[in-house]
């Protein structure tokens, strides 16, 4: 059984959910499988209020965190997994099939990290920009003719998979070789999303201050930088060291 | 990947579903995971029409079979798995955790059988009587505080589990020892639910004709008989032989 402490290391994030029934269904699946932590990014406020006040809404909906941006929602997480299909998309992140996620989650939890599992809005799913905050993209093995799942069902399927694989010692999550996301560096913790965002911010400023980015390339360069920083699998110590370096560089440029 | 031929060997059965949104969600999960065969037992006709005529309803809803009884729905199946929680229930059937179902399904399919996966109505789930048509009860590993899943989510989770475990040769479904439901008897097929029902019917008649069952025990005895016949794991040949014997006995009693 996945321990309470480990379930607490998973944050479910719903980005701009529209339908209150879907929010309720996602929360119900979380309650069914015992995951207490939910964050909602810029929900439509009327629908959000409706979902929270629904009869029988689980307590975790009352305790859900409301965030203005995905960056804010995942700030405390060290591994951010987006969900979606590969239809019409050539992802910049590592793509893993859902059955491989449990092993990554358990490893992250074992070294003190926290994972966010991010679901996009019903109609369009996660955007390329949303995905730039993710370390990897999790693919649910749907058929090509009907790839897109209902939001509440996608949440249920992902959480069930985590529970059922962590549950079963015969199919140990640590047996298959894991994709090397973050090479182990002794007691060093993986960098949190908040630290990576601070780092991205200062590198961005430096790129502008040094006239690296022409105005029309600024958005694309910021995006590429975010994707790159997540692929590097920095430890918190790495990230802080580089942050210090760029602060120094920026100060030199500006003075 | 689970082959098309194998997906065709699974029948999803919804018993008296009430909410058209749930029927639609169940059908959508089936379409997502590529299972085409749906049967619905005595649905509320207004809601059933509404679900079928919904915009974007998958084709399999149009092709769904409508049945008056669960016995009729599962008649062609050789393995019938009910779903539900164990809360307030002491089941008479073998109970297996959902992750063990894929192995049983693959074995049944390999010897030419068909499996029904049966879901109860939203409020109350499958009754004891419904379960007497099932060989086993599948338990989804929900937490005790919130055991009962939404219908559409339960269907999604079960189908995903079948797909994901049949999908992954590393976790071969045939490795762990399987609960011995139906001992292998050479080329002999397991008895279909229709044959078992015919057998139950004639044994029932014989019990009455021989004054075995006092009137007030008749219902309970029929129920116990159905449960017993499924536990015996008869082959089609066994069942037909016993059927012949009871026909003969009944004829003797009546003439």
């Amino acid at each position: 059984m996945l321990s309470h402490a480990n379930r607490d290391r998973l944050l479910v994030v719903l980005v701009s959910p529209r339908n209150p029934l879907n929010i309720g269904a996602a929360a119900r699946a979380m309650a069914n499988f015992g995951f207490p932590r939910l964050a909602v990014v810029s929900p439509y406020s009327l629908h959000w209020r409706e979902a929270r006040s629904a009869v029988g809404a689980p307590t975790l909906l009352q305790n859900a965190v409301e965030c203005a941006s995905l960056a804010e929602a995942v700030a405390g997480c060290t591994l951010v997994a987006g969900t979606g299909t590969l239809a019409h998309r050539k992802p910049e992140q590592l793509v893993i099939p859902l059955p491989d996620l449990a092993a990554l989650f358990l490893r992250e939890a074992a070294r003190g990290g926290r994972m966010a599992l991010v679901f996009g809005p019903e109609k369009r799913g996660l955007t390329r920009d949303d995905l730039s905050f993710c370390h990897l993209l999790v693919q649910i093995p749907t058929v090509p003719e009907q790839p897109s799942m209902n939001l509440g069902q996608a949440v249920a399927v992902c959480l069930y998979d985590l529970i059922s694989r962590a549950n079963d010692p015969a199919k140990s999550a640590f047996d298959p070789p894991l994709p090397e996301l973050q090479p182990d560096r002794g007691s060093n913790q993986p960098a949190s999303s908040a630290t990576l965002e601070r780092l991205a911010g200062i590198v961005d400023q430096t790129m502008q201050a040094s006239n690296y980015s022409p105005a029309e390339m600024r958005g694309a360069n910021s995006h590429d930088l975010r994707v790159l920083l997540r692929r590097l699998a920095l430890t918190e110590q790495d990230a802080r060291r580089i942050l210090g370096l760029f602060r120094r560089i920026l100060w030199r440029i500006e003075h």
Side-chain angles (χ1 to χ4, degrees), chain A:
Chain A
M1 207 64 181
L2 206 55
S3 68
H4 277 286
N6 272 349
R7 289 183 212 217
D8 205 51
R9 289 186 179 280
L10 183 84
L11 176 69
V12 173
V13 182
L14 306 181
V15 178
S16 307
R18 264 200 170 274
N19 184 336
L21 292 177
N22 285 337
I23 300 173
R28 179 161 172 188
M30 292 179 65
N32 284 144
F33 295 121
F35 291 94
R37 302 181 68 232
L38 173 65
V40 183
V41 177
S42 51
Y44 295 82
S45 60
L46 186 73
H47 296 170
W48 177 230
R49 267 205 307 278
E50 194 180 327
R52 290 183 102 170
S53 60
V55 178
T59 325
L60 65 92
L61 254 182
Q62 307 306 320
N63 298 336
V65 178
E66 206 180 322
C67 301
S69 70
L70 179 55
E72 184 191 332
V74 301
C77 297
T78 51
L79 177 62
V80 182
T83 57
T85 64
L86 290 179
H88 324 296
R89 194 198 295 279
K90 201 173 160 297
E92 301 163 289
Q93 292 75 17
L94 176 66
V95 179
I96 64 162
L98 174 55
D100 291 352
L101 184 63
L104 293 175
F105 171 55
L106 288 176
R107 185 172 69 180
E108 201 65 19
R111 56 180 169 187
R114 288 180 182 277
M115 183 169 85
L117 193 53
V118 186
F119 296 86
E122 290 91 338
K123 292 270 178 206
R124 59 167 173 77
L126 294 173
T127 61
R128 186 167 167 265
D129 190 53
D130 294 333
L131 282 174
S132 75
F133 293 94
C134 300
H135 294 87
L136 51 89
L137 175 64
V138 178
Q139 208 192 357
I140 303 176
T142 48
V143 298
E145 301 80 26
Q146 187 78 264
S148 168
M149 285 195 79
N150 163 279
L151 176 59
Q153 290 176 311
V155 172
V157 160
C158 289
L159 298 183
Y160 164 73
D161 189 85
L162 289 179
I163 286 286
S164 77
R165 280 175 221 278
N167 220 348
D168 187 348
K171 300 177 187 103
S172 166
F174 290 98
D175 284 350
L178 298 178
E180 257 315 315
L181 254 185
Q182 293 173 324
D184 206 341
R185 293 180 191 168
S187 65
N188 233 340
Q189 302 261 328
S192 72
S193 292
T195 305
L196 291 181
E197 265 313 278
R198 250 184 295 145
L199 183 53
I202 202 147
V203 178
D204 220 37
Q205 270 182 280
T206 312
M207 290 199 293
Q208 285 176 47
S210 61
N211 284 324
Y212 172 83
S213 284
E216 70 275 18
M217 288 298 292
R218 215 162 275 169
N221 283 340
S222 297
H223 174 94
D224 291 349
L225 176 63
R226 281 203 305 273
V227 173
L228 171 69
L229 285 177
R230 275 148 190 90
R231 203 171 55 229
L232 290 179
L234 301 171
T235 64
E236 189 70 25
Q237 202 178 34
D238 292 335
R240 283 168 196 263
R241 193 169 294 159
I242 304 174
L243 197 62
L245 171 65
F246 271 90
R247 279 204 183 108
R248 180 81 205 158
I249 293 171
L250 191 59
W251 189 89
R252 285 291 289 172
I253 293 174
E254 287 175 342
H255 291 86

